mmCIF file with all atom_site columns, all heavy atoms in Angstrom:
data_model
loop_
_atom_site.group_PDB
_atom_site.id
_atom_site.type_symbol
_atom_site.label_atom_id
_atom_site.label_alt_id
_atom_site.label_comp_id
_atom_site.label_asym_id
_atom_site.label_entity_id
_atom_site.label_seq_id
_atom_site.pdbx_PDB_ins_code
_atom_site.Cartn_x
_atom_site.Cartn_y
_atom_site.Cartn_z
_atom_site.occupancy
_atom_site.B_iso_or_equiv
_atom_site.pdbx_formal_charge
_atom_site.auth_seq_id
_atom_site.auth_comp_id
_atom_site.auth_asym_id
_atom_site.auth_atom_id
_atom_site.pdbx_PDB_model_num
ATOM 1   N N   . GLU A 1 160 ? 4.942  -3.533 -12.760 1.00 0.00 ? 160 GLU A N   1
ATOM 2   C CA  . GLU A 1 160 ? 6.007  -3.957 -13.670 1.00 0.00 ? 160 GLU A CA  1
ATOM 3   C C   . GLU A 1 160 ? 7.123  -2.918 -13.702 1.00 0.00 ? 160 GLU A C   1
ATOM 4   O O   . GLU A 1 160 ? 8.312  -3.252 -13.597 1.00 0.00 ? 160 GLU A O   1
ATOM 5   C CB  . GLU A 1 160 ? 5.458  -4.160 -15.086 1.00 0.00 ? 160 GLU A CB  1
ATOM 6   C CG  . GLU A 1 160 ? 6.544  -4.625 -16.048 1.00 0.00 ? 160 GLU A CG  1
ATOM 7   C CD  . GLU A 1 160 ? 6.150  -4.542 -17.510 1.00 0.00 ? 160 GLU A CD  1
ATOM 8   O OE1 . GLU A 1 160 ? 5.095  -3.954 -17.821 1.00 0.00 ? 160 GLU A OE1 1
ATOM 9   O OE2 . GLU A 1 160 ? 6.917  -5.062 -18.343 1.00 0.00 ? 160 GLU A OE2 1
ATOM 10  N N   . GLN A 1 161 ? 6.750  -1.648 -13.819 1.00 0.00 ? 161 GLN A N   1
ATOM 11  C CA  . GLN A 1 161 ? 7.774  -0.582 -13.812 1.00 0.00 ? 161 GLN A CA  1
ATOM 12  C C   . GLN A 1 161 ? 8.560  -0.581 -12.510 1.00 0.00 ? 161 GLN A C   1
ATOM 13  O O   . GLN A 1 161 ? 9.776  -0.407 -12.507 1.00 0.00 ? 161 GLN A O   1
ATOM 14  C CB  . GLN A 1 161 ? 7.098  0.784  -13.953 1.00 0.00 ? 161 GLN A CB  1
ATOM 15  C CG  . GLN A 1 161 ? 6.669  1.164  -15.337 1.00 0.00 ? 161 GLN A CG  1
ATOM 16  C CD  . GLN A 1 161 ? 6.050  2.549  -15.256 1.00 0.00 ? 161 GLN A CD  1
ATOM 17  O OE1 . GLN A 1 161 ? 4.884  2.695  -14.897 1.00 0.00 ? 161 GLN A OE1 1
ATOM 18  N NE2 . GLN A 1 161 ? 6.836  3.565  -15.548 1.00 0.00 ? 161 GLN A NE2 1
ATOM 19  N N   . ALA A 1 162 ? 7.840  -0.723 -11.391 1.00 0.00 ? 162 ALA A N   1
ATOM 20  C CA  . ALA A 1 162 ? 8.525  -0.720 -10.091 1.00 0.00 ? 162 ALA A CA  1
ATOM 21  C C   . ALA A 1 162 ? 9.485  -1.902 -10.008 1.00 0.00 ? 162 ALA A C   1
ATOM 22  O O   . ALA A 1 162 ? 10.633 -1.764 -9.566  1.00 0.00 ? 162 ALA A O   1
ATOM 23  C CB  . ALA A 1 162 ? 7.501  -0.760 -8.960  1.00 0.00 ? 162 ALA A CB  1
ATOM 24  N N   . ASN A 1 163 ? 9.027  -3.058 -10.464 1.00 0.00 ? 163 ASN A N   1
ATOM 25  C CA  . ASN A 1 163 ? 9.901  -4.237 -10.463 1.00 0.00 ? 163 ASN A CA  1
ATOM 26  C C   . ASN A 1 163 ? 11.107 -4.036 -11.376 1.00 0.00 ? 163 ASN A C   1
ATOM 27  O O   . ASN A 1 163 ? 12.217 -4.478 -11.056 1.00 0.00 ? 163 ASN A O   1
ATOM 28  C CB  . ASN A 1 163 ? 9.122  -5.478 -10.913 1.00 0.00 ? 163 ASN A CB  1
ATOM 29  C CG  . ASN A 1 163 ? 8.243  -6.054 -9.804  1.00 0.00 ? 163 ASN A CG  1
ATOM 30  O OD1 . ASN A 1 163 ? 8.539  -5.885 -8.621  1.00 0.00 ? 163 ASN A OD1 1
ATOM 31  N ND2 . ASN A 1 163 ? 7.184  -6.738 -10.189 1.00 0.00 ? 163 ASN A ND2 1
ATOM 32  N N   . ASN A 1 164 ? 10.878 -3.367 -12.505 1.00 0.00 ? 164 ASN A N   1
ATOM 33  C CA  . ASN A 1 164 ? 12.004 -3.097 -13.414 1.00 0.00 ? 164 ASN A CA  1
ATOM 34  C C   . ASN A 1 164 ? 13.051 -2.207 -12.734 1.00 0.00 ? 164 ASN A C   1
ATOM 35  O O   . ASN A 1 164 ? 14.258 -2.407 -12.915 1.00 0.00 ? 164 ASN A O   1
ATOM 36  C CB  . ASN A 1 164 ? 11.520 -2.421 -14.695 1.00 0.00 ? 164 ASN A CB  1
ATOM 37  C CG  . ASN A 1 164 ? 10.747 -3.367 -15.607 1.00 0.00 ? 164 ASN A CG  1
ATOM 38  O OD1 . ASN A 1 164 ? 10.754 -4.580 -15.395 1.00 0.00 ? 164 ASN A OD1 1
ATOM 39  N ND2 . ASN A 1 164 ? 10.079 -2.811 -16.602 1.00 0.00 ? 164 ASN A ND2 1
ATOM 40  N N   . LEU A 1 165 ? 12.580 -1.236 -11.964 1.00 0.00 ? 165 LEU A N   1
ATOM 41  C CA  . LEU A 1 165 ? 13.521 -0.378 -11.228 1.00 0.00 ? 165 LEU A CA  1
ATOM 42  C C   . LEU A 1 165 ? 14.309 -1.205 -10.211 1.00 0.00 ? 165 LEU A C   1
ATOM 43  O O   . LEU A 1 165 ? 15.523 -1.040 -10.063 1.00 0.00 ? 165 LEU A O   1
ATOM 44  C CB  . LEU A 1 165 ? 12.763 0.748  -10.505 1.00 0.00 ? 165 LEU A CB  1
ATOM 45  C CG  . LEU A 1 165 ? 12.252 1.895  -11.390 1.00 0.00 ? 165 LEU A CG  1
ATOM 46  C CD1 . LEU A 1 165 ? 11.226 2.736  -10.631 1.00 0.00 ? 165 LEU A CD1 1
ATOM 47  C CD2 . LEU A 1 165 ? 13.409 2.770  -11.864 1.00 0.00 ? 165 LEU A CD2 1
ATOM 48  N N   . VAL A 1 166 ? 13.600 -2.083 -9.503  1.00 0.00 ? 166 VAL A N   1
ATOM 49  C CA  . VAL A 1 166 ? 14.273 -2.927 -8.511  1.00 0.00 ? 166 VAL A CA  1
ATOM 50  C C   . VAL A 1 166 ? 15.341 -3.786 -9.194  1.00 0.00 ? 166 VAL A C   1
ATOM 51  O O   . VAL A 1 166 ? 16.468 -3.908 -8.702  1.00 0.00 ? 166 VAL A O   1
ATOM 52  C CB  . VAL A 1 166 ? 13.249 -3.811 -7.757  1.00 0.00 ? 166 VAL A CB  1
ATOM 53  C CG1 . VAL A 1 166 ? 13.955 -4.835 -6.881  1.00 0.00 ? 166 VAL A CG1 1
ATOM 54  C CG2 . VAL A 1 166 ? 12.321 -2.940 -6.910  1.00 0.00 ? 166 VAL A CG2 1
ATOM 55  N N   . THR A 1 167 ? 14.987 -4.352 -10.345 1.00 0.00 ? 167 THR A N   1
ATOM 56  C CA  . THR A 1 167 ? 15.950 -5.176 -11.090 1.00 0.00 ? 167 THR A CA  1
ATOM 57  C C   . THR A 1 167 ? 17.154 -4.350 -11.521 1.00 0.00 ? 167 THR A C   1
ATOM 58  O O   . THR A 1 167 ? 18.309 -4.758 -11.344 1.00 0.00 ? 167 THR A O   1
ATOM 59  C CB  . THR A 1 167 ? 15.273 -5.793 -12.343 1.00 0.00 ? 167 THR A CB  1
ATOM 60  O OG1 . THR A 1 167 ? 14.144 -6.549 -11.912 1.00 0.00 ? 167 THR A OG1 1
ATOM 61  C CG2 . THR A 1 167 ? 16.223 -6.694 -13.107 1.00 0.00 ? 167 THR A CG2 1
ATOM 62  N N   . ALA A 1 168 ? 16.873 -3.157 -12.045 1.00 0.00 ? 168 ALA A N   1
ATOM 63  C CA  . ALA A 1 168 ? 17.961 -2.319 -12.554 1.00 0.00 ? 168 ALA A CA  1
ATOM 64  C C   . ALA A 1 168 ? 18.874 -1.842 -11.430 1.00 0.00 ? 168 ALA A C   1
ATOM 65  O O   . ALA A 1 168 ? 20.089 -1.772 -11.586 1.00 0.00 ? 168 ALA A O   1
ATOM 66  C CB  . ALA A 1 168 ? 17.387 -1.120 -13.311 1.00 0.00 ? 168 ALA A CB  1
ATOM 67  N N   . LEU A 1 169 ? 18.297 -1.534 -10.300 1.00 0.00 ? 169 LEU A N   1
ATOM 68  C CA  . LEU A 1 169 ? 19.080 -0.946 -9.202  1.00 0.00 ? 169 LEU A CA  1
ATOM 69  C C   . LEU A 1 169 ? 19.779 -2.021 -8.373  1.00 0.00 ? 169 LEU A C   1
ATOM 70  O O   . LEU A 1 169 ? 20.786 -1.745 -7.704  1.00 0.00 ? 169 LEU A O   1
ATOM 71  C CB  . LEU A 1 169 ? 18.174 -0.075 -8.320  1.00 0.00 ? 169 LEU A CB  1
ATOM 72  C CG  . LEU A 1 169 ? 17.688 1.197  -9.019  1.00 0.00 ? 169 LEU A CG  1
ATOM 73  C CD1 . LEU A 1 169 ? 16.417 1.748  -8.380  1.00 0.00 ? 169 LEU A CD1 1
ATOM 74  C CD2 . LEU A 1 169 ? 18.789 2.271  -9.013  1.00 0.00 ? 169 LEU A CD2 1
ATOM 75  N N   . ASP A 1 170 ? 19.219 -3.225 -8.372  1.00 0.00 ? 170 ASP A N   1
ATOM 76  C CA  . ASP A 1 170 ? 19.870 -4.412 -7.821  1.00 0.00 ? 170 ASP A CA  1
ATOM 77  C C   . ASP A 1 170 ? 20.523 -4.179 -6.457  1.00 0.00 ? 170 ASP A C   1
ATOM 78  O O   . ASP A 1 170 ? 21.729 -4.306 -6.299  1.00 0.00 ? 170 ASP A O   1
ATOM 79  C CB  . ASP A 1 170 ? 20.926 -4.903 -8.841  1.00 0.00 ? 170 ASP A CB  1
ATOM 80  C CG  . ASP A 1 170 ? 21.476 -6.274 -8.450  1.00 0.00 ? 170 ASP A CG  1
ATOM 81  O OD1 . ASP A 1 170 ? 20.786 -7.016 -7.727  1.00 0.00 ? 170 ASP A OD1 1
ATOM 82  O OD2 . ASP A 1 170 ? 22.619 -6.582 -8.867  1.00 0.00 ? 170 ASP A OD2 1
ATOM 83  N N   . SER A 1 171 ? 19.684 -3.823 -5.482  1.00 0.00 ? 171 SER A N   1
ATOM 84  C CA  . SER A 1 171 ? 20.193 -3.609 -4.122  1.00 0.00 ? 171 SER A CA  1
ATOM 85  C C   . SER A 1 171 ? 19.260 -4.291 -3.131  1.00 0.00 ? 171 SER A C   1
ATOM 86  O O   . SER A 1 171 ? 18.031 -4.217 -3.287  1.00 0.00 ? 171 SER A O   1
ATOM 87  C CB  . SER A 1 171 ? 20.233 -2.105 -3.809  1.00 0.00 ? 171 SER A CB  1
ATOM 88  O OG  . SER A 1 171 ? 20.253 -1.893 -2.403  1.00 0.00 ? 171 SER A OG  1
ATOM 89  N N   . PRO A 1 172 ? 19.806 -4.931 -2.095  1.00 0.00 ? 172 PRO A N   1
ATOM 90  C CA  . PRO A 1 172 ? 18.931 -5.518 -1.067  1.00 0.00 ? 172 PRO A CA  1
ATOM 91  C C   . PRO A 1 172 ? 18.163 -4.458 -0.291  1.00 0.00 ? 172 PRO A C   1
ATOM 92  O O   . PRO A 1 172 ? 17.276 -4.792 0.492   1.00 0.00 ? 172 PRO A O   1
ATOM 93  C CB  . PRO A 1 172 ? 19.906 -6.271 -0.155  1.00 0.00 ? 172 PRO A CB  1
ATOM 94  C CG  . PRO A 1 172 ? 21.245 -5.666 -0.409  1.00 0.00 ? 172 PRO A CG  1
ATOM 95  C CD  . PRO A 1 172 ? 21.231 -5.155 -1.821  1.00 0.00 ? 172 PRO A CD  1
ATOM 96  N N   . PHE A 1 173 ? 18.476 -3.192 -0.522  1.00 0.00 ? 173 PHE A N   1
ATOM 97  C CA  . PHE A 1 173 ? 17.791 -2.105 0.182   1.00 0.00 ? 173 PHE A CA  1
ATOM 98  C C   . PHE A 1 173 ? 16.690 -1.458 -0.656  1.00 0.00 ? 173 PHE A C   1
ATOM 99  O O   . PHE A 1 173 ? 16.128 -0.448 -0.260  1.00 0.00 ? 173 PHE A O   1
ATOM 100 C CB  . PHE A 1 173 ? 18.802 -1.059 0.673   1.00 0.00 ? 173 PHE A CB  1
ATOM 101 C CG  . PHE A 1 173 ? 19.566 -1.575 1.856   1.00 0.00 ? 173 PHE A CG  1
ATOM 102 C CD1 . PHE A 1 173 ? 20.723 -2.310 1.681   1.00 0.00 ? 173 PHE A CD1 1
ATOM 103 C CD2 . PHE A 1 173 ? 19.081 -1.391 3.147   1.00 0.00 ? 173 PHE A CD2 1
ATOM 104 C CE1 . PHE A 1 173 ? 21.407 -2.838 2.773   1.00 0.00 ? 173 PHE A CE1 1
ATOM 105 C CE2 . PHE A 1 173 ? 19.742 -1.920 4.238   1.00 0.00 ? 173 PHE A CE2 1
ATOM 106 C CZ  . PHE A 1 173 ? 20.908 -2.645 4.051   1.00 0.00 ? 173 PHE A CZ  1
ATOM 107 N N   . ILE A 1 174 ? 16.381 -2.055 -1.801  1.00 0.00 ? 174 ILE A N   1
ATOM 108 C CA  . ILE A 1 174 ? 15.331 -1.501 -2.651  1.00 0.00 ? 174 ILE A CA  1
ATOM 109 C C   . ILE A 1 174 ? 14.300 -2.573 -2.979  1.00 0.00 ? 174 ILE A C   1
ATOM 110 O O   . ILE A 1 174 ? 14.654 -3.676 -3.418  1.00 0.00 ? 174 ILE A O   1
ATOM 111 C CB  . ILE A 1 174 ? 15.938 -0.917 -3.946  1.00 0.00 ? 174 ILE A CB  1
ATOM 112 C CG1 . ILE A 1 174 ? 16.897 0.229  -3.596  1.00 0.00 ? 174 ILE A CG1 1
ATOM 113 C CG2 . ILE A 1 174 ? 14.835 -0.417 -4.876  1.00 0.00 ? 174 ILE A CG2 1
ATOM 114 C CD1 . ILE A 1 174 ? 17.677 0.761  -4.779  1.00 0.00 ? 174 ILE A CD1 1
ATOM 115 N N   . GLY A 1 175 ? 13.038 -2.246 -2.732  1.00 0.00 ? 175 GLY A N   1
ATOM 116 C CA  . GLY A 1 175 ? 11.946 -3.167 -3.035  1.00 0.00 ? 175 GLY A CA  1
ATOM 117 C C   . GLY A 1 175 ? 10.716 -2.405 -3.472  1.00 0.00 ? 175 GLY A C   1
ATOM 118 O O   . GLY A 1 175 ? 10.798 -1.225 -3.829  1.00 0.00 ? 175 GLY A O   1
ATOM 119 N N   . VAL A 1 176 ? 9.565  -3.087 -3.439  1.00 0.00 ? 176 VAL A N   1
ATOM 120 C CA  . VAL A 1 176 ? 8.333  -2.445 -3.901  1.00 0.00 ? 176 VAL A CA  1
ATOM 121 C C   . VAL A 1 176 ? 7.281  -2.408 -2.795  1.00 0.00 ? 176 VAL A C   1
ATOM 122 O O   . VAL A 1 176 ? 7.298  -3.202 -1.863  1.00 0.00 ? 176 VAL A O   1
ATOM 123 C CB  . VAL A 1 176 ? 7.730  -3.158 -5.142  1.00 0.00 ? 176 VAL A CB  1
ATOM 124 C CG1 . VAL A 1 176 ? 8.697  -3.079 -6.307  1.00 0.00 ? 176 VAL A CG1 1
ATOM 125 C CG2 . VAL A 1 176 ? 7.345  -4.603 -4.842  1.00 0.00 ? 176 VAL A CG2 1
ATOM 126 N N   . CYS A 1 177 ? 6.386  -1.456 -2.949  1.00 0.00 ? 177 CYS A N   1
ATOM 127 C CA  . CYS A 1 177 ? 5.222  -1.323 -2.081  1.00 0.00 ? 177 CYS A CA  1
ATOM 128 C C   . CYS A 1 177 ? 3.999  -1.578 -2.963  1.00 0.00 ? 177 CYS A C   1
ATOM 129 O O   . CYS A 1 177 ? 3.833  -0.928 -3.996  1.00 0.00 ? 177 CYS A O   1
ATOM 130 C CB  . CYS A 1 177 ? 5.197  0.097  -1.519  1.00 0.00 ? 177 CYS A CB  1
ATOM 131 S SG  . CYS A 1 177 ? 3.655  0.532  -0.712  1.00 0.00 ? 177 CYS A SG  1
ATOM 132 N N   . VAL A 1 178 ? 3.180  -2.527 -2.568  1.00 0.00 ? 178 VAL A N   1
ATOM 133 C CA  . VAL A 1 178 ? 2.003  -2.890 -3.365  1.00 0.00 ? 178 VAL A CA  1
ATOM 134 C C   . VAL A 1 178 ? 0.760  -2.283 -2.726  1.00 0.00 ? 178 VAL A C   1
ATOM 135 O O   . VAL A 1 178 ? 0.419  -2.595 -1.584  1.00 0.00 ? 178 VAL A O   1
ATOM 136 C CB  . VAL A 1 178 ? 1.859  -4.424 -3.445  1.00 0.00 ? 178 VAL A CB  1
ATOM 137 C CG1 . VAL A 1 178 ? 0.540  -4.801 -4.121  1.00 0.00 ? 178 VAL A CG1 1
ATOM 138 C CG2 . VAL A 1 178 ? 3.045  -5.037 -4.186  1.00 0.00 ? 178 VAL A CG2 1
ATOM 139 N N   . ASP A 1 179 ? 0.109  -1.381 -3.460  1.00 0.00 ? 179 ASP A N   1
ATOM 140 C CA  . ASP A 1 179 ? -1.111 -0.745 -2.982  1.00 0.00 ? 179 ASP A CA  1
ATOM 141 C C   . ASP A 1 179 ? -2.254 -1.148 -3.918  1.00 0.00 ? 179 ASP A C   1
ATOM 142 O O   . ASP A 1 179 ? -2.209 -0.849 -5.113  1.00 0.00 ? 179 ASP A O   1
ATOM 143 C CB  . ASP A 1 179 ? -0.920 0.781  -2.970  1.00 0.00 ? 179 ASP A CB  1
ATOM 144 C CG  . ASP A 1 179 ? -2.099 1.509  -2.332  1.00 0.00 ? 179 ASP A CG  1
ATOM 145 O OD1 . ASP A 1 179 ? -3.245 1.030  -2.463  1.00 0.00 ? 179 ASP A OD1 1
ATOM 146 O OD2 . ASP A 1 179 ? -1.873 2.571  -1.720  1.00 0.00 ? 179 ASP A OD2 1
ATOM 147 N N   . VAL A 1 180 ? -3.250 -1.816 -3.364  1.00 0.00 ? 180 VAL A N   1
ATOM 148 C CA  . VAL A 1 180 ? -4.337 -2.327 -4.212  1.00 0.00 ? 180 VAL A CA  1
ATOM 149 C C   . VAL A 1 180 ? -5.062 -1.191 -4.940  1.00 0.00 ? 180 VAL A C   1
ATOM 150 O O   . VAL A 1 180 ? -5.550 -1.387 -6.051  1.00 0.00 ? 180 VAL A O   1
ATOM 151 C CB  . VAL A 1 180 ? -5.361 -3.165 -3.402  1.00 0.00 ? 180 VAL A CB  1
ATOM 152 C CG1 . VAL A 1 180 ? -4.668 -4.356 -2.748  1.00 0.00 ? 180 VAL A CG1 1
ATOM 153 C CG2 . VAL A 1 180 ? -6.098 -2.338 -2.366  1.00 0.00 ? 180 VAL A CG2 1
ATOM 154 N N   . TYR A 1 181 ? -5.134 -0.027 -4.333  1.00 0.00 ? 181 TYR A N   1
ATOM 155 C CA  . TYR A 1 181 ? -5.841 1.097  -4.933  1.00 0.00 ? 181 TYR A CA  1
ATOM 156 C C   . TYR A 1 181 ? -5.192 1.488  -6.269  1.00 0.00 ? 181 TYR A C   1
ATOM 157 O O   . TYR A 1 181 ? -5.872 1.858  -7.222  1.00 0.00 ? 181 TYR A O   1
ATOM 158 C CB  . TYR A 1 181 ? -5.827 2.294  -3.978  1.00 0.00 ? 181 TYR A CB  1
ATOM 159 C CG  . TYR A 1 181 ? -6.702 3.438  -4.416  1.00 0.00 ? 181 TYR A CG  1
ATOM 160 C CD1 . TYR A 1 181 ? -8.080 3.398  -4.222  1.00 0.00 ? 181 TYR A CD1 1
ATOM 161 C CD2 . TYR A 1 181 ? -6.153 4.570  -5.015  1.00 0.00 ? 181 TYR A CD2 1
ATOM 162 C CE1 . TYR A 1 181 ? -8.888 4.445  -4.621  1.00 0.00 ? 181 TYR A CE1 1
ATOM 163 C CE2 . TYR A 1 181 ? -6.966 5.628  -5.411  1.00 0.00 ? 181 TYR A CE2 1
ATOM 164 C CZ  . TYR A 1 181 ? -8.330 5.568  -5.211  1.00 0.00 ? 181 TYR A CZ  1
ATOM 165 O OH  . TYR A 1 181 ? -9.124 6.613  -5.610  1.00 0.00 ? 181 TYR A OH  1
ATOM 166 N N   . HIS A 1 182 ? -3.876 1.405  -6.319  1.00 0.00 ? 182 HIS A N   1
ATOM 167 C CA  . HIS A 1 182 ? -3.159 1.831  -7.518  1.00 0.00 ? 182 HIS A CA  1
ATOM 168 C C   . HIS A 1 182 ? -3.062 0.748  -8.578  1.00 0.00 ? 182 HIS A C   1
ATOM 169 O O   . HIS A 1 182 ? -2.912 1.042  -9.757  1.00 0.00 ? 182 HIS A O   1
ATOM 170 C CB  . HIS A 1 182 ? -1.747 2.293  -7.136  1.00 0.00 ? 182 HIS A CB  1
ATOM 171 C CG  . HIS A 1 182 ? -1.745 3.501  -6.255  1.00 0.00 ? 182 HIS A CG  1
ATOM 172 N ND1 . HIS A 1 182 ? -2.302 4.693  -6.634  1.00 0.00 ? 182 HIS A ND1 1
ATOM 173 C CD2 . HIS A 1 182 ? -1.264 3.702  -5.000  1.00 0.00 ? 182 HIS A CD2 1
ATOM 174 C CE1 . HIS A 1 182 ? -2.164 5.582  -5.662  1.00 0.00 ? 182 HIS A CE1 1
ATOM 175 N NE2 . HIS A 1 182 ? -1.546 4.997  -4.655  1.00 0.00 ? 182 HIS A NE2 1
ATOM 176 N N   . CYS A 1 183 ? -3.092 -0.506 -8.172  1.00 0.00 ? 183 CYS A N   1
ATOM 177 C CA  . CYS A 1 183 ? -2.727 -1.592 -9.095  1.00 0.00 ? 183 CYS A CA  1
ATOM 178 C C   . CYS A 1 183 ? -3.841 -2.572 -9.437  1.00 0.00 ? 183 CYS A C   1
ATOM 179 O O   . CYS A 1 183 ? -3.644 -3.430 -10.289 1.00 0.00 ? 183 CYS A O   1
ATOM 180 C CB  . CYS A 1 183 ? -1.564 -2.389 -8.500  1.00 0.00 ? 183 CYS A CB  1
ATOM 181 S SG  . CYS A 1 183 ? -0.064 -1.426 -8.246  1.00 0.00 ? 183 CYS A SG  1
#
Side-chain angles (χ1 to χ4, degrees):
E160 181 193 10
Q161 281 181 278
N163 282 333
N164 288 348
L165 285 165
V166 171
T167 303
L169 291 158
D170 190 24
S171 159
F173 286 88
I174 298 173
V176 297
C177 168
V178 173
D179 187 327
V180 300
Y181 189 79
H182 296 300
C183 299

